[in-house]
């Protein structure tokens, strides 16, 4: 009888998983896996379901990010990660944009192939300790001095959870620059529709056969639903009980964690 309410679990061919708050909680020590998540990833793969990690992670290159996840016990590869920096590089090249980067030091290698001389846009990532007044002011001065300011933000999250508590995310700084420069940022990453679409393309599954699982009610759940996917919210990571009364976004279901979601989905295969 408990299963009767799980209509959302039918006809699934692929899963998109958010990483931080679903697979693990990040932290200065490398972070800690969320109980049952590594085993859940193994079970997804063993079942023949397709899997893509859809992350707004911008503190590390995909290679280092995957190395860290593997060290935590997750069987994942770089090809299974859809992240904002590579998507931003494609966009910069297509539009002939030369970025001034305000990003985490560890992300810089992702932009190695991009021309950064005489910048005509600003790219903002989760710069963490690099979000100093001086660095924000430098980005502000560049933008305010442009005839047509272009601000590209690698996500717009408000905060995320680390092992020692909540941390301000890139969205807070994006809003500051938008306000100061009277500019609208272009978001690369969740919840942008194009970002979810490229993750689905890499997954090779149409939206109606995919489920997104995340801890962020707006970026993960809302973004995925706007693409025609089903979306679940886990009660791990930065989840807060108030998310269950969100005025705009209603997940297809709440699950206590990834392991529980995978249990239900595999029972419906």
């Amino acid at each position: 009888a408990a299963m009767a309410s799980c209509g959302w679990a039918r006809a699934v061919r692929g899963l998109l998983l958010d990483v931080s708050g679903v697979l693990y909680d990040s932290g200065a020590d490398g972070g800690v896996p969320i109980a049952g998540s590594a085993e859940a990833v193994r079970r997804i793969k063993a079942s023949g379901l397709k899997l893509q990690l859809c992350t707004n992670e911008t503190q590390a290159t995909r290679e280092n990010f995957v190395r860290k996840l593997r060290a935590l016990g997750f069987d994942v590869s770089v090809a299974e990660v859809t992240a904002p920096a590579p998507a931003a590089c494609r966009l910069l090249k297509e539009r002939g944009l030369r970025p001034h980067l305000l990003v985490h030091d560890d992300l810089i290698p992702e932009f190695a192939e991009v021309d950064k001389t005489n910048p005509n846009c600003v790219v903002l990532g989760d710069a963490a300790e690099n979000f100093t007044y001086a660095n924000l002011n430098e980005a502000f001065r560049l933008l305010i001095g442009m005839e047509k300011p272009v601000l590209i933000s690698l996500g717009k999250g408000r905060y995320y959870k680390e092992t020692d508590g909540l941390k301000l995310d890139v969205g807070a700084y994006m809003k500051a620059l938008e306000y100061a420069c009277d500019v609208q940022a272009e978001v690369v990453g969740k919840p942008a529709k194009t970002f979810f679409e490229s993750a689905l393309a890499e997954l090779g599954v149409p939206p109606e056969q995919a489920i997104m699982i995340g801890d962020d009610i707006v970026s993960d759940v809302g973004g995925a639903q706007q693409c025609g996917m089903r979306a679940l919210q886990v009660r791990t990571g930065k989840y807060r009980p108030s998310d269950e009364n969100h005025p705009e976004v209603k997940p297809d279901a709440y699950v206590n964690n990834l392991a529980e979601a995978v249990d239900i989905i595999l029972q419906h295969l």
Side-chain angles (χ1 to χ4, degrees):
M3 300 308 299
S5 62
C6 296
W8 58 263
R10 291 184 171 78
V12 183
R13 282 179 51 217
L15 298 180
L16 290 183
L17 303 184
D18 173 41
V19 178
S20 176
V22 174
L23 298 188
Y24 82 119
D25 283 321
S26 58
D29 46 3
V32 294
I34 290 168
S37 290
E39 178 60 20
V41 168
R42 276 196 291 279
R43 292 176 64 207
I44 292 165
K45 292 192 162 185
S47 74
L49 286 172
K50 294 184 171 183
L51 171 73
Q52 193 73 16
L53 305 183
C54 190
T55 178
N56 272 8
E57 167 69 42
T58 57
Q59 282 197 17
T61 61
R62 277 174 306 167
E63 285 75 11
N64 284 344
F65 184 52
V66 164
R67 194 172 297 139
K68 180 169 75 175
L69 288 175
R70 293 185 75 92
L72 291 173
F74 294 98
D75 172 24
V76 292
S77 66
V78 172
E80 291 170 320
V81 178
T82 303
C89 289
R90 283 199 298 276
L91 179 144
L92 293 167
K93 283 182 174 164
E94 278 163 19
R95 286 168 47 186
L97 291 170
R98 302 180 305 276
H100 168 79
L101 299 175
L102 177 41
V103 299
H104 198 283
D105 291 342
D106 294 343
L107 193 70
I108 303 276
E110 290 273 21
F111 295 90
E113 307 293 299
V114 176
D115 181 6
K116 296 177 276 292
T117 55
N118 189 20
N120 57 3
C121 74
V122 167
V123 171
L124 197 62
D126 178 12
E129 306 301 323
N130 281 351
F131 279 134
T132 60
Y133 177 79
N135 287 346
L136 277 164
N137 202 50
E138 187 184 4
F140 157 73
R141 284 178 171 175
L142 273 166
L143 286 167
I144 204 90
M146 291 173 192
E147 200 178 321
K148 288 208 175 110
V150 177
L151 173 61
I152 293 166
S153 188
L154 306 180
K156 64 175 207 184
R158 293 172 298 174
Y159 53 85
Y160 52 91
K161 186 181 176 213
E162 289 207 329
T163 47
D164 62 347
L166 298 178
K167 300 285 166 98
L168 273 178
D169 200 356
V170 61
Y173 300 94
M174 175 193 92
K175 287 290 183 191
L177 289 172
E178 281 187 332
Y179 179 61
C181 303
D182 199 20
V183 61
Q184 188 96 52
E186 299 175 47
V187 177
V188 177
K190 299 175 294 188
K193 198 166 187 184
T194 50
F195 191 66
F196 278 110
E197 284 166 352
S198 64
L200 282 168
E202 288 169 41
L203 196 63
V205 167
E208 59 278 5
Q209 295 181 347
I211 293 181
M212 172 76 198
I213 303 175
D215 69 330
D216 187 314
I217 185 87
V218 176
S219 288
D220 296 330
V221 176
Q225 287 176 335
Q226 281 172 342
C227 277
M229 273 185 267
R230 287 161 277 178
L232 310 184
Q233 187 175 20
V234 288
R235 294 188 180 101
T236 56
K238 67 173 149 194
Y239 161 85
R240 310 176 87 174
S242 60
D243 292 345
E244 305 209 18
N245 306 312
H246 195 277
E248 279 106 48
V249 185
K250 296 273 170 277
D252 290 84
Y254 292 94
V255 287
N256 286 322
N257 47 46
L258 177 63
E260 185 184 323
V262 170
D263 277 343
I264 297 168
I265 290 163
L266 295 186
Q267 281 167 7
H268 283 81
L269 279 188

